Amino acid sequence: MSRETIAAKRYAKALFEVAAQQQKTLEVEQELKAVVGAITQDDEIRRFISTPNIAVSVKLDVLKKALQDKVSQPVMNTVDMLIERGRVDLFADLLDSYVRIEGESLGLADATVYSTYPLSDQEIETVAAEFGALAKKKIRVTNVIDKNLLGGVKVVIGDMLYDGSLAGKLERLEKSFNRLAQ
């Protein structure tokens, strides 16, 4: 585990503890996702924050004005701290660690479901219920459209992959034939 990941975990744990005290863990997660998404995906924002010629106070003033009334104080304090300490590179790891800590604490797990078409609400509920029973957690589903799948779905929960795709089934069938042929 890298130093950055360890540092991000510490920041995430502190942020989660504050959010839990205020009973706003899910809200803080959503705010953190929005902030981290903006910082990591927008080239202009990333360049602005990373430019060493711009004073930290100027960066913080601009961010405070941009985020005012959009994020809670704990999230703003965390953003301030990371920028003041020159730890902008930790934002993505911070979000990952926060979501993991929150999930463990609240019995939540995030599942990414890959399918060839957008799943209906009913299908998402079915996937969440079935995999929730398997993982013994409440599942939050994110549906990703993957046109490369021939059919079926692939579900990723943490580091576990449940491959119910047609390609995956064909691959497993081929492997079993190869074992029989040997």
Side-chain angles (χ1 to χ4, degrees), residues 165-178:
S165 68
L166 187 55
K169 290 177 183 179
L170 290 172
E171 186 178 316
R172 288 189 294 277
L173 182 62
E174 180 183 8
K175 284 181 183 178
S176 69
F177 283 145
N178 287 341

Side-chain angles (χ1 to χ4, degrees), residues 10 13 21 45 70 78 83 91 101 109 118 145 154 178:
R10 284 196 307 264
K13 187 172 178 7
Q21 287 173 351
I45 295 173
K70 293 183 177 104
T78 303
I83 291 175
F91 278 112
I101 291 166
I145 309 307
K154 285 195 302 189
N178 287 341

Side-chain angles (χ1 to χ4, degrees), residues 12-123:
K13 187 172 178 7
L15 179 59
F16 178 78
E17 288 173 1
V18 171
Q21 287 173 351
Q22 296 178 1
Q23 297 179 345
K24 294 184 175 187
T25 55
L26 295 172
E27 292 92 336
V28 166
E29 177 193 351
Q30 294 307 312
E31 293 171 2
L32 195 57
K33 279 182 180 178
V35 169
V36 171
I39 290 172
T40 58
Q41 294 171 0
D42 188 305
D43 289 337
E44 287 184 45
I45 295 173
R46 191 171 56 245
R47 245 189 323 261
F48 171 74
I49 291 174
S50 301
T51 302
N53 297 345
I54 300 173
V56 171
S57 60
V58 172
K59 293 176 187 178
L60 292 176
D61 285 343
V62 169
L63 283 172
K64 283 179 183 177
K65 287 177 185 169
L67 298 174
Q68 188 176 15
D69 299 327
K70 293 183 177 104
V71 298
S72 61
Q73 198 58 48
V75 172
M76 194 66 234
N77 291 345
T78 303
V79 169
D80 283 357
M81 195 177 337
L82 290 177
I83 291 175
E84 283 176 1
R85 296 179 180 177
R87 303 304 308 260
V88 179
D89 57 322
L90 294 183
F91 278 112
D93 286 338
L94 168 72
L95 175 59
D96 291 342
S97 294
Y98 183 89
V99 169
R100 202 170 297 118
I101 291 166
E102 176 190 43
E104 289 171 11
S105 176
L106 302 178
L108 298 172
D110 289 307
T112 304
V113 180
Y114 298 89
S115 61
T116 57
Y117 62 89
L119 298 178
S120 69
D121 290 342
Q122 180 61 41
E123 289 169 321

